Amino acid sequence: MSEAIYCFDTATVRFAIYPEGPAGERVIVEIAEDPLRDLFGAEGGGDTLVEAYKTHAAIIDACALERHHEAPHRPVLLETRDFEALEHFAGS
């Protein structure tokens, strides 16, 4: 079950990752609307943004984990530039 929610005030989808596995620390991550629309196919309101996250959670979560490991004590906000190496996967 996904913990993803759309946050209107920040125009992001917020979700949790567990860097040490399900029994470990829970880290809250945000992904901006732009990559969800431009790379992952969201076309409507908040529900479609959450669905785009869920559909592509494996790629998005992997990117979030990488960013978290780079700076474990900083908030993670994923933007389009974080997926530049993966752009050829967009929409798949």
Side-chain angles (χ1 to χ4, degrees), residues 32-77:
E33 274 191 46
D34 288 343
L36 291 168
R37 292 188 188 287
D38 298 343
L39 303 176
F40 299 112
E43 295 181 345
D47 289 344
T48 67
L49 295 165
V50 171
E51 282 305 312
Y53 162 75
K54 289 178 181 179
T55 300
H56 301 281
I59 294 169
I60 296 168
D61 289 358
C63 186
L65 282 167
E66 184 177 312
R67 289 278 312 281
H68 172 72
H69 287 303
E70 289 171 1
H73 301 292
R74 301 182 90 189
V76 176
L77 170 61

Side-chain angles (χ1 to χ4, degrees), residues 5-14 30 33 46 50:
I5 60 168
Y6 177 67
C7 298
F8 179 79
D9 60 327
T10 58
T12 61
V13 169
R14 230 175 253 165
E30 293 180 277
E33 274 191 46
V50 171

